[in-house]
Amino acid sequence: MSASSPSSVRVPCPCGRRDRRELPLAYAQCCGRYVDDFENTPATDAESLMRSRYTAFVRERADYLLATWHPSTRPSEVSFEPGVKWLGLDVRSRSVLDADHAEVEFVARQRSSAGVASRLHERSRFVREVDGLHNRWYYVDGDLH
């Protein structure tokens, strides 16, 4: 299913972002534009990148996760635990440190294939760099809480 198909326009974005009326944003209007068009549409800020990376985990898009991981800390591959169900994302705080550095604290909830629920609580660090024609945000690393 492409990001522009009629059904994907109505599918709520996994990241849970809402519009001014508190209605869920559609995937195609939210993280889908970044995940499905990384080359031409970089995330506009660290929070948007963090949300789109959560969405990439939900959709098992290793290509996007690797492309948005800073080369200094990027693993050689990303794998996904079979049967994991992502349950939601809560952005706790966002801090712009300077024009090219930011942090986002979040909690991501998931349930394993065995039915065990867990929470990933992290304060993530991001850096913005010039990449070709774009200023791109990259995930660097994070501290688990």
Side-chain angles (χ1 to χ4, degrees), residues 2-144:
S2 74
S4 60
S5 69
S7 60
S8 69
V9 172
R10 295 185 297 267
V11 173
C13 190
C15 84
R17 187 172 261 174
R18 296 183 173 274
D19 66 15
R20 290 184 185 117
R21 297 171 297 162
E22 288 303 309
L23 297 173
L25 282 176
Y27 171 75
Q29 297 161 331
C30 192
C31 295
R33 58 191 164 153
Y34 309 130
V35 174
D36 294 338
D37 191 20
F38 171 77
E39 289 300 318
N40 300 308
T41 311
T44 55
D45 54 45
E47 180 184 350
S48 295
L49 179 60
M50 190 279 306
R51 287 179 174 278
S52 66
R53 287 176 55 82
Y54 170 83
T55 295
F57 272 105
V58 172
R59 292 180 158 237
E60 298 187 352
R61 291 287 306 270
D63 60 329
Y64 184 77
L65 292 167
L66 290 169
T68 58
W69 211 312
H70 194 269
S72 67
T73 57
R74 180 186 304 141
S76 59
E77 63 182 300
V78 174
S79 60
F80 302 98
E81 185 181 331
V84 165
K85 179 170 173 64
W86 290 93
L87 305 172
L89 175 68
D90 178 27
V91 175
R92 298 282 176 92
S93 68
R94 53 202 74 59
S95 303
V96 175
L97 305 176
D98 60 36
D100 297 322
H101 297 87
E103 296 180 344
V104 179
E105 182 180 352
F106 68 92
V107 174
R109 297 176 293 112
Q110 65 175 318
R111 182 176 299 121
S112 72
S113 59
V116 177
S118 63
R119 297 161 40 111
L120 171 67
H121 184 177
E122 182 177 294
R123 182 177 248 338
S124 298
R125 285 179 282 280
F126 298 87
V127 63
R128 186 174 66 160
E129 295 182 349
V130 176
D131 179 12
L133 300 174
H134 302 285
N135 285 319
R136 290 193 189 277
W137 284 97
Y138 292 93
Y139 170 77
V140 177
D141 61 16
D143 296 321
L144 294 174

